[in-house]
Amino acid sequence: MSERWKHQINTGAPWGVFMIVTTLVFGLKEKPFSTQIADSGFYFRAVGYILFGVFVLGYSSWKNKTKKINKS
């Protein structure tokens, strides 16, 4: 696996997990944890957060990293 993909996964996946947990915590005011997990929409959002984190945030982070390295 290339360094870029390692960086994207290591940057984006934790962000996606953080967003999933944050969504669950804020959703506790409206629905219990078990109800949130049982909802099929939860899994769509979870996959969406992780994919967005890896492909968008991870890629932009990689671009910024390479710009910094090339400037030096």
Side-chain angles (χ1 to χ4, degrees):
M1 187 180 304
S2 71
E3 289 299 315
R4 185 185 113 203
W5 280 107
K6 288 179 186 176
H7 178 80
Q8 282 184 234
I9 291 170
N10 288 334
T11 303
W15 180 85
V17 171
F18 172 76
M19 289 303 296
I20 293 166
V21 170
T22 303
T23 304
L24 281 172
V25 170
F26 282 115
L28 287 175
K29 293 178 183 177
E30 299 170 9
K31 295 181 193 176
F33 178 77
S34 58
T35 306
Q36 290 183 46
I37 295 293
D39 185 28
S40 62
F42 167 77
Y43 295 104
F44 275 129
R45 285 190 302 276
V47 169
Y49 284 139
I50 291 174
L51 290 177
F52 181 82
V54 169
F55 288 103
V56 176
L57 296 177
Y59 182 74
S60 64
S61 173
W62 174 256
K63 282 302 209 183
N64 288 335
K65 181 180 176 182
T66 56
K67 283 182 185 178
K68 272 186 179 177
I69 291 171
N70 290 337
K71 274 188 176 179
S72 298

